[in-house]
Amino acid sequence: MDAADHAALTAAPTDPFTASPTTPAPAPPTGPRPARQAAAPGEPRATPPAAAPLAAAPPGPGAEPSADPPADQEQAVRHALRELLAERAGPDENRAATATPEGYDTELWARMSGALGLAGLTLPEEYGGTGRGPAALAAACEETGRTLAPSPLLATAVLGAPLLAALGTPEQRADLLPRLADGSLTCTLAVPGALALALGLTGDNTAHPWSGDGRAGGIQATRTTDGGWRLYGEAAQVVDGHSAGLLIVAAHTGGFARSRTLLFLVRADAAEAPGLVRTRQPALDPTRTRATVQFRDTEAELLGEEPADVLGALATAGRAAAVMLAAEAVGAAREALDRTVAHAGSREPSGRPAAPAPTADHRLADLYVQVETARSLTHCAAREPGPGPESGPLALAHALDALRATAGESAQPHGGTGPTRDQEAYFHRAASDELLFGPARRLRARAAERTGPFGEVAA
């Protein structure tokens, strides 16, 4: 691989989540990244996280609008987040964080949600958020995906908060959303069976009794004499289920006569939720912590009011979540590719290259095209107007394929040496996300069902 090919593959691409090209930011000290060095002479250095909050408060009534366009603000946030992750989310720091009872670095999460405001990026301003929209959150997810940083961002801001904002009563939103926005409360979605099916990513969530059927299976909800609710059953593979302070639980109720799926709030504090048993499970990807949650006559509160289109809200949230998952996968894929290119271009043990130069060049070039294609699709999905972008699942399918391909290449022996533990981490993330939210072929099949062969939305 000559110098020109190496530079072409490692050059920082135009940032698809902003309108201006990405300014190279200082790189984390984990492995060589020739094209991600300090800013060139004359270029401004990214603002440190403490000085450039991502979620800067919008101007008040009567104030002049900000002169900085949103794209520049998102770019500043991306750089600030990258510096923060470089400081606290390297491979060694990630391993130490996943070994804690919470499964993540609590100080890092406090800075991400407090100083940078990531937890409230898409929440309405009246509840302490900034209403920035999905493009800003996707840009943040791409950065966390690069470092595989373990945090409650996915479970709280992507899976839980949108459902609470869409279905919650005014009292529930006023009580819980500000705490989610400032990071003092984390939440997650607990469903029986496959999470991908419940979110409508791999199938029609109205066509399968995934939450339970009749009076058996899944999680059952029964109304008490005082008007409350009790939950019975179990949910497996709950993302951050062992540490979240609030659980949004999908449960079946109504028996056969009025069979339906509803969502319930369970305060996960042991003092407030007797009968709740949470067990952290070993995971292929330790940065994506999961737990089995059992409900044994557990007190719960109905989310929102009946009647409500719960299955429709889950499908809408699922399509939006697919965009954020795709952004994470794209960030991880690009980082894995950068590491592979740097490794293949620098190691020549025993005087021989790891593979014939033309073969390596072509393979890495194909991977570069695959990653950038997934990145472009994710950008388009993040900019798609309206809730629940229809192209989200398709973008996720391409991103998972790109991550699996680049992670597989990075895990191959190079120059007679096997993959390192850091290289294997990207392969583990690829396999873990496929098991939890895929596989990619089912995501594509479901997208084809919804949009048809020419992109029109199916009835």
Side-chain angles (χ1 to χ4, degrees):
M1 180 181 298
D2 58 28
D5 291 333
H6 184 276
L9 286 174
T10 55
T14 299
D15 185 0
F17 295 107
T18 63
S20 58
T22 303
T23 302
T30 56
R33 274 170 283 178
R36 298 189 188 279
Q37 303 298 326
E43 291 185 350
R45 181 178 177 85
T47 307
L54 177 88
E64 291 295 329
S66 173
D68 296 328
D72 290 346
Q73 294 174 4
E74 290 175 17
Q75 191 69 0
V77 169
R78 180 188 286 271
H79 288 167
L81 177 58
R82 188 174 297 185
E83 286 198 349
L84 174 60
L85 294 175
E87 175 189 345
R88 300 196 64 90
D92 293 337
E93 290 81 1
N94 287 349
R95 281 191 287 271
T98 56
T100 63
E102 295 84 3
Y104 60 89
D105 183 347
T106 55
E107 182 178 344
L108 172 62
W109 172 243
R111 293 172 66 178
M112 289 172 61
S113 57
L116 298 182
L118 298 187
L121 271 179
T122 59
L123 291 177
E125 298 173 13
E126 61 183 304
Y127 299 115
T130 57
R132 286 291 187 88
L137 184 56
C141 287
E142 185 179 349
E143 291 304 319
T144 59
R146 284 181 185 274
T147 59
L148 304 181
S151 78
L153 183 64
L154 173 66
T156 298
V158 176
L159 297 179
L163 290 171
L164 183 58
L167 297 177
T169 64
E171 294 78 13
Q172 290 170 338
R173 292 197 295 267
D175 176 35
L176 298 172
L177 287 181
R179 297 164 59 195
L180 295 179
D182 65 19
S184 60
L185 176 67
T186 60
C187 73
T188 190
L189 175 63
V191 302
L195 178 60
L197 177 59
L199 293 173
L201 295 177
T202 56
D204 184 358
N205 64 2
T206 66
H208 307 278
W210 51 268
S211 64
D213 191 10
R215 296 187 180 277
I219 300 176
Q220 298 291 323
T222 59
R223 191 185 293 272
T224 60
T225 56
D226 60 359
W229 293 88
R230 294 279 178 173
L231 301 182
Y232 307 81
E234 177 180 295
Q237 304 297 317
V238 180
V239 179
D240 291 341
H242 72 290
S243 61
L246 177 71
L247 299 176
I248 300 178
V249 186
H252 178 270
T253 189
F256 293 99
R258 299 182 64 239
S259 179
R260 62 199 186 280
T261 298
L262 298 176
L263 294 179
F264 298 88
L265 301 176
V266 175
R267 318 279 174 156
D269 185 273
E272 298 184 28
L276 178 67
V277 179
R278 304 192 287 176
T279 307
R280 183 176 176 179
Q281 299 295 335
L284 179 63
D285 175 18
T287 65
R288 186 83 85 198
T289 58
R290 285 172 257 178
T292 296
V293 183
Q294 295 178 324
F295 303 94
R296 304 174 180 176
D297 193 24
T298 305
E299 184 178 355
E301 173 188 350
L302 180 66
L303 175 60
E305 299 175 345
E306 292 194 81
D309 184 12
V310 170
L311 298 180
L314 283 169
T316 299
R319 295 193 295 274
V323 178
M324 306 310 158
L325 289 162
E328 276 194 349
V330 164
R334 184 56 199 250
E335 182 67 15
L337 180 59
D338 286 351
R339 290 170 180 263
T340 303
V341 170
H343 189 84
S346 62
R347 293 185 64 90
E348 294 189 1
S350 304
R352 296 182 303 171
T359 302
D361 288 352
H362 295 162
R363 188 167 62 245
L364 293 175
D366 288 342
L367 290 175
Y368 176 84
V369 172
Q370 189 174 5
V371 171
E372 290 306 304
T373 300
R375 203 166 190 248
S376 296
L377 288 171
T378 303
H379 161 239
C380 292
R383 297 291 185 185
E384 187 176 317
E390 294 292 338
S391 55
L394 186 60
L396 177 57
H398 281 272
L400 289 177
D401 281 344
L403 177 55
R404 184 176 63 250
T406 54
E409 180 67 24
S410 70
Q412 294 296 321
H414 292 283
T417 63
T420 66
R421 182 163 56 171
D422 297 341
Q423 291 169 324
E424 288 179 337
Y426 291 94
F427 185 80
H428 292 162
R429 170 59 67 88
S432 176
D433 277 4
E434 282 249 48
L435 290 172
L436 192 58
F437 300 104
R441 61 181 178 81
R442 291 187 179 177
L443 290 166
R444 286 193 176 89
R446 177 57 181 160
E449 289 177 4
R450 288 190 55 83
T451 62
F454 300 106
E456 72 277 8
V457 177

